[in-house]
Amino acid sequence: MKWHRLIPVAAAALMAVMISPAGAQGAAAGPKESKPVYSYDDAIRESVWVDTRIDGDSDGKTDRVAVDIVRPREPAQQGRKIPVIMDASPYYACCGRGNESQKKTYDANGKPVQFPLYYDNYFVPRGYGFVAVDLAGTSRSDGCVDVGGRSDVQSAKAVVDWLNGRGKAYTTRTGGAPAKAGWTNGNTGMIGKSYDGTVANGVAATGVEGLKTIVPIGAISSWYDYYFAQGAPLYDSGPEWLSDYVESPEARERCKAVQQKLIDGAPRTGDLTRLWSERDHVPDADKVEASVFVVHGMQDLNVRTKHFGQWWDALADEGVDRKIWLSQTGHVDPFEFRRGDWVKTLHRWFDHELLGYDNGIDREPMADIERAPDQWSTDKVWPPRSTDATTVRPGKGAAPGVGTLGVKRAKPGATETFTDDPKLSETDWAAQIDRSTPSKAGFTTQPLTRDLRLSGSSKVTVTATPSTPTAHLSAVLVDLGPATIRDYADAGEGITTLLERTCWGPSTAGDSSCFKDAAAKTADVDYTVFSRGWADLGTYADPGKGRPLTPGKQYTITLDLAASDHVVPAGHRLALIVGGTDAGLIDPPSTTPTLGIDLHRTAAKLPFVGGDKAFARATAGSGAHTPSGALLDGVAEPRSLRPIPGGTP
């Protein structure tokens, strides 16, 4: 929904009750906030099965997906229609949602009892319907899971169509009476973390009418980039593992052919096949009509920050209305790291986007960014308008592999050499940044005299000579200096779950609104890795197609470093590290090459707020730094993750 198209709604006389935008158009003034005026105990709880109009399991019948609905009873009795908040997920039966892994539950007659999370408890009394969709092949739905493909997206898009009077639904999975959605005005907002948010991205990229906003939390924008980093494989598996993980037991039997297609279409070579192109939402940003509220952890090593960065940039190019929250956490929902502010902000967002209330959220800062645990700043526009890509270059230092970082280009013939060690990670490299070690080449500025902020995505162009026919490259940006950060490498990825609970709306016997609180889990460190990129050197000529390398031949490749927003404080140093396999974050190659780096032909383009002038000011007059060689302290090594875009289900 474009904000400039919004119409003020709701007459002042009806401020005390919920009212649909259609019934209030033309009013001079309207409410600013929906109020909890409807009974949650008396809410209508029902299930329908929506026809997706595709036959994913090839049984000769179009698939139906299960849709569980909870909505206030009073608006329909009063002849008024309401908007819908939807979470379409593959996890409702297999794994659960949220920090407490809640699953849907049903009574003896199959009627829904528990809806995971707080969306129902909080928003239904305020006049919203909540719809929880089981993706095809999961829980009570027909069809097959195709991991981001047409079936996944159509599972949710068909429901949006049905809510807007364009689709068909029935009261049972097979047969059953037709079910109409006459109780809703069709205005739909999709929300969800990870896989759920990824489906929201995919549905928005279809341009479906009636989808007014999406709130993707830690969501994928391109499934190729979930399983590969420019040809370098991740997770030691492909989408077939995830499909098998979430499918219902009966779907596993009927969906073997779909499973095989996932295997055949996603070879571990890292080549960009048709399967991956069909699961890339970024090129379809021009179709997006919904507004987008992005939430992502800047230390998310599951759904990595490249996903929100490339999606955000594409949406910006298309003029899509958008908002963003960036935390210091890993793969964590904002309900667990900023609960009160999050619920308040989400409430205002849905009121504005789905009810049309003029509450001013569209005139507030676009970005909220966590600078230190529980300390937030805002930006009117993100990245800030003064941000400009600035070229910085590595240079030779006094010891092998311990170099400099500045604007001056290294002399022709200047090189550094390292040997890939698949046992070592970015934390090992950063801990020994001032030591000559055989597994990495590190380059640092002198201590900064002013704060230096990087905002957005970076690129590093490396010219390398491998000793073997295959090789991987990693590049990371590091803030060298003491800080207290969220411990994103811990099992909680930056949070600790507490025993105390807070409640967010009314409860029933089978559906509590009370959830365990969480607090920041912090670590005191000497360095912070804040942006990363990986690639198979064999993709030097084409990021979608790998080629064998000729040992001893020089190749130039550009690595995309994931989006971030980080301030390197005065007194700290900024470092660029180039290495081979980043243990736990990409899979190692079949060989362990030695790589020579041509420093004269290697450079990074970094998004400094204030551009090259800001970098020049921050590095001007800084005193000489003598590497001590001491081992620095950071977080634990990144945990090797299974491919579960729901995080810890």
Side-chain angles (χ1 to χ4, degrees):
M1 180 185 294
K2 304 296 183 183
W3 283 332
H4 63 269
R5 298 177 189 164
L6 287 172
I7 301 172
V9 298
L14 297 174
M15 289 267 306
V17 297
M18 181 69 66
I19 184 169
S20 72
Q25 289 178 3
K32 304 296 184 184
E33 178 182 300
S34 59
K35 302 292 185 180
V37 297
Y38 299 123
S39 169
Y40 186 68
D41 280 339
D42 294 336
I44 296 169
R45 293 168 175 83
E46 58 188 338
S47 300
V48 302
W49 278 259
V50 171
D51 190 338
T52 65
R53 302 187 295 277
I54 62 174
D55 181 10
D57 52 15
S58 301
D59 65 354
K61 298 177 293 184
T62 53
D63 303 327
R64 296 181 184 181
V65 291
V67 180
D68 294 315
I69 302 164
V70 55
R71 55 187 175 91
R73 188 176 299 274
E74 298 91 335
Q77 293 174 337
Q78 298 162 3
R80 291 186 282 107
K81 298 184 178 184
I82 61 174
V84 167
I85 297 168
M86 179 196 300
D87 187 343
S89 177
Y91 292 132
Y92 284 128
C94 73
C95 329
R97 304 310 296 128
N99 197 31
E100 298 177 50
S101 301
Q102 287 190 323
K103 299 179 181 180
K104 289 184 187 178
T105 62
Y106 304 88
D107 66 16
N109 297 316
K111 182 178 177 180
V113 174
Q114 175 174 272
F115 290 78
L117 306 176
Y118 61 95
Y119 304 136
D120 54 325
N121 310 84
Y122 187 85
F123 285 103
V124 168
R126 289 169 166 79
Y128 292 85
F130 177 66
V131 170
V133 182
D134 295 322
L135 294 188
T138 71
S139 192
R140 302 195 295 171
S141 293
D142 290 334
C144 301
V145 176
D146 63 358
V147 188
R150 184 186 177 207
S151 179
D152 273 8
V153 174
Q154 186 64 14
S155 292
K157 179 181 180 295
V159 179
V160 177
D161 283 333
W162 174 70
L163 293 169
N164 283 271
R166 298 187 299 270
K168 294 181 179 180
Y170 303 89
T171 55
T172 64
R173 181 170 174 176
T174 58
K180 301 291 185 182
W183 48 270
T184 175
N185 58 20
N187 290 349
T188 304
M190 292 185 68
I191 189 170
K193 177 189 169 190
S194 206
Y195 202 136
D196 306 14
T198 304
V199 174
N201 283 341
V203 176
T206 70
V208 62
E209 183 180 353
L211 183 62
K212 302 300 182 181
T213 191
I214 63 171
V215 185
I217 301 167
I220 294 166
S221 58
S222 163
W223 280 93
Y224 174 86
D225 292 317
Y226 185 72
Y227 283 100
F228 295 94
Q230 198 169 320
L234 316 176
Y235 305 119
D236 194 27
S237 72
E240 74 284 353
W241 187 95
L242 181 55
S243 173
D244 184 67
Y245 185 81
V246 302
E247 277 185 330
S248 62
E250 56 188 335
R252 290 193 189 102
E253 182 61 31
R254 69 173 182 260
C255 295
K256 290 181 178 179
V258 175
Q259 281 272 79
Q260 192 60 47
K261 287 180 180 178
L262 291 175
I263 295 170
D264 295 342
R268 298 301 289 165
T269 61
D271 288 350
L272 186 59
T273 62
R274 179 178 176 182
L275 180 143
W276 297 122
S277 297
E278 292 172 348
R279 289 161 172 76
D280 185 358
H281 306 312
V282 178
D284 292 323
D286 60 339
K287 299 177 184 176
V288 174
E289 292 294 327
S291 61
V292 182
F293 187 171
V294 171
V295 181
H296 219 103
M298 290 186 287
Q299 295 288 4
D300 191 338
L301 299 178
N302 184 345
V303 179
R304 301 162 192 214
T305 60
K306 180 178 182 179
H307 289 279
F308 91 78
Q310 62 190 3
W311 185 230
W312 182 267
D313 291 345
L315 294 171
D317 289 343
E318 300 300 332
V320 174
D321 295 319
R322 61 205 186 282
K323 186 174 178 66
I324 192 167
W325 274 25
L326 297 175
S327 74
Q328 277 197 353
T329 66
H331 200 58
V332 181
D333 191 292
F335 191 69
E336 310 304 340
F337 61 71
R338 203 186 185 194
R339 184 169 295 182
D341 288 341
W342 170 244
V343 175
K344 178 181 178 181
T345 302
L346 186 64
H347 179 191
R348 296 179 66 230
W349 181 263
F350 281 144
D351 277 1
H352 186 276
E353 300 299 293
L354 300 181
L355 288 170
Y357 287 2
D358 184 11
N359 56 19
I361 197 167
D362 55 317
R363 298 184 292 276
E364 294 174 0
M366 177 184 285
D368 280 36
I369 300 167
E370 189 175 28
R371 293 294 170 204
D374 294 322
Q375 297 178 25
W376 293 77
S377 66
T378 62
D379 283 282
K380 184 177 181 181
V381 176
W382 192 85
R385 290 193 175 93
S386 64
T387 304
D388 192 26
T390 301
T391 300
V392 298
R393 303 178 185 277
K396 292 286 287 185
V402 183
T404 63
L405 189 65
V407 295
K408 187 177 180 180
R409 194 173 205 173
K411 295 179 179 180
T415 62
E416 290 289 359
T417 301
F418 64 86
T419 299
D420 190 353
D421 186 340
K423 299 187 300 295
L424 301 180
S425 72
E426 59 189 37
T427 58
D428 298 302
W429 302 335
Q432 302 190 72
I433 185 68
D434 291 324
R435 292 181 174 183
S436 292
T437 57
S439 62
K440 58 92 173 77
F443 310 94
T444 71
T445 65
Q446 300 299 330
L448 303 181
T449 57
R450 299 190 184 191
D451 292 355
L452 184 62
R453 178 180 174 187
L454 295 87
S455 183
S457 303
S458 304
K459 292 182 180 294
V460 176
T461 298
V462 178
T463 298
T465 303
S467 64
T468 58
T470 59
H472 289 167
L473 280 174
S474 300
V476 299
L477 296 176
V478 190
D479 174 349
L480 296 170
T484 299
I485 65 172
R486 286 188 182 263
D487 190 358
Y488 62 87
D490 181 72
E493 299 188 58
I495 66 164
T496 296
T497 302
L498 307 176
L499 295 178
E500 296 81 6
R501 293 179 179 269
T502 53
C503 304
W504 299 88
S507 302
T508 64
D511 194 335
S512 174
S513 71
C514 305
F515 299 86
K516 291 181 179 179
D517 290 331
K521 174 72 166 60
T522 64
D524 294 325
V525 298
D526 293 329
Y527 64 85
T528 305
V529 179
F530 64 88
S531 185
R532 310 156 174 89
W534 311 271
D536 186 319
L537 185 56
T539 62
Y540 64 92
D542 181 351
K545 179 71 174 178
R547 293 170 169 80
L549 304 171
T550 301
K553 182 178 178 180
Q554 199 172 67
Y555 299 92
T556 298
I557 189 171
T558 297
L559 288 72
D560 293 325
L561 269 61
S564 185
D565 195 299
H566 186 86
V567 176
V568 183
H572 289 205
R573 294 177 290 154
L574 172 63
L576 167 67
I577 301 176
V578 179
T581 300
D582 193 346
L585 296 179
I586 61 172
D587 296 340
S590 57
T591 57
T592 52
T594 296
L595 294 109
I597 305 299
D598 183 342
L599 301 185
H600 181 71
R601 299 178 58 195
T602 295
K605 287 190 174 182
L606 308 184
F608 295 127
V609 177
D612 55 357
K613 292 181 180 178
F615 183 73
R617 287 193 296 267
T619 54
S622 59
H625 175 80
T626 302
S628 67
L631 192 66
L632 304 182
D633 289 326
V635 297
E637 289 191 14
R639 296 177 301 120
S640 295
L641 300 170
R642 293 300 295 167
I644 307 172
T648 5

